[in-house]
Amino acid sequence: MSQTQVIKVTKDTIKKMHAFYKNNLLNKTVPYTDFVAKVGSTTITAYTSGKIVFQGPDAEKAAARWGNAVPGKKAHNASSKKTTILPANFSQLSVLGSDEVGNGSYFGPVTVCAAYVDKTMVTKLKALGVRDSKELTDPQIVKLSAVIKELIPHRLLIVEPEKYNQIQPKYNAVHMKVALHNQAIYLLLKEIAPIKPEAILIDQFTPETNYKKYVRSEQNQVTEKLYFITKGEQYHVAVAAASIISRAAFLEELDKESKELGMNVPSGAGATSDKVAAAILAKGGIELLSKYAKLHFANTEKAKKIAAK
């Protein structure tokens, strides 16, 4: 489901965004813009006025990374207007949180983690520095993930590119993420039983009605005590922990890919990814590329053109 989300940011934030999306920038000239980038199927257009327009299936989540929506410019679907009301004192409850990484990156897997944080562990995790993974460096994330995994129950699912390419024709990007979140949560609930979390918080990537529509086709459906909210890590440390574990796994898999190929494999889906993909095609054709990249991305056709020169 395509969405449009608009936010207003400062010039300093535009600079940070430009650096963040450096590997996703499009060679596109649009009047009065600072940059245009594409992450997966979502396009980000940054205007010099400070207005940022996000368009695509993950527009709401991508925008939430940087600021609040401009009034009247919320995502164009009715269910996005619904306000999520969390239980009182939510940050101090025993919560199972889930988050995913890698959906917008051409190379590397999609990683989804569900993490359970008992209320007695909330303060300890925060003291360790468990917070929004976007505020941490990659080495900090990898180091912190190892500590978190020793302390709390969690379930990590990793869909390598080869498997992703087999599934993708049957599952669109949102449906795949719904299936993975649901499965990770289901497996973790089985693991911690008979303990039951007071709530389950999913870092929102699609409207709640959309999530529930797709989850109906799954075998082991988790439907009780579910809450959906963007920037979930700000509401409970369980989502922050899940985000860090997911991100660390994604980084470790990228590093593994780089070593196997003997070249630096980037995250994101920008021009650098096109060049690396072209080099992989020259080395082993589409069969080799399918083991490391999500082939349905536009990068594949761009890489073929580069390799053909």
Side-chain angles (χ1 to χ4, degrees), residues 268-286:
T272 306
S273 297
D274 300 340
K275 292 171 186 173
V276 172
I280 296 170
L281 283 171
K283 193 173 184 177
I286 198 74

Side-chain angles (χ1 to χ4, degrees), residues 90-91 93 95 97 115 117-118 121-126 129-131 148 152 201 232-244:
F90 189 83
S91 65
L93 299 181
V95 170
V117 177
D118 184 85
M121 289 295 293
V122 169
T123 302
K124 183 170 184 177
L125 289 177
K126 286 183 177 178
V130 178
R131 59 189 188 277
I148 296 168
I152 61 170
L201 183 62
E233 64 281 346
Q234 294 184 4
Y235 297 90
H236 202 282
V237 73
V239 176
S243 174
I244 289 168

Side-chain angles (χ1 to χ4, degrees), residues 8-21:
K8 184 88 172 175
V9 301
T10 63
K11 287 183 179 180
D12 185 51
T13 300
I14 288 181
K15 285 181 185 176
K16 289 179 183 175
M17 292 178 75
H18 196 288
F20 183 83
Y21 293 117

Side-chain angles (χ1 to χ4, degrees), residues 238-255:
V239 176
S243 174
I244 289 168
I245 293 171
S246 295
R247 178 72 181 163
F250 174 77
L251 291 170
E252 286 162 0
E253 290 296 318
L254 267 193
D255 187 53

Side-chain angles (χ1 to χ4, degrees), residues 5 7 9 13 16-17 20-21 39 44 54 58-69 99-102 104 132-135 203-204 230-234 243 247:
Q5 192 85 358
I7 63 172
V9 301
T13 300
K16 289 179 183 175
M17 292 178 75
F20 183 83
Y21 293 117
V39 179
I44 302 106
F54 299 80
D58 293 324
E60 189 171 0
K61 186 170 183 181
R65 181 189 293 272
W66 302 105
N68 296 320
D99 199 6
E100 90 288 330
V101 172
D132 185 354
S133 63
K134 293 182 286 296
E135 297 176 6
D203 194 39
Q204 189 169 17
T230 55
K231 294 188 178 180
E233 64 281 346
Q234 294 184 4
S243 174
R247 178 72 181 163

Side-chain angles (χ1 to χ4, degrees), residues 214-226:
Y214 283 126
V215 89
R216 280 198 289 271
S217 64
E218 296 307 304
Q219 187 175 354
N220 303 307
Q221 300 169 28
V222 179
T223 56
E224 293 181 6
K225 298 182 182 178
L226 286 183

Side-chain angles (χ1 to χ4, degrees), residues 96-101 110-116 145 148-149 152-158 177 180-185 188 201-203 238-249:
L96 188 157
S98 71
D99 199 6
E100 90 288 330
V101 172
V110 173
T111 58
V112 176
C113 181
Y116 174 67
S145 172
I148 296 168
K149 288 193 286 188
I152 61 170
H154 63 279
R155 181 55 70 116
L156 174 66
L157 302 180
I158 300 174
K177 284 194 286 186
L180 290 169
H181 276 265
N182 179 75
Q183 182 69 354
I185 292 166
L188 184 55
L201 183 62
I202 296 172
D203 194 39
V239 176
S243 174
I244 289 168
I245 293 171
S246 295
R247 178 72 181 163

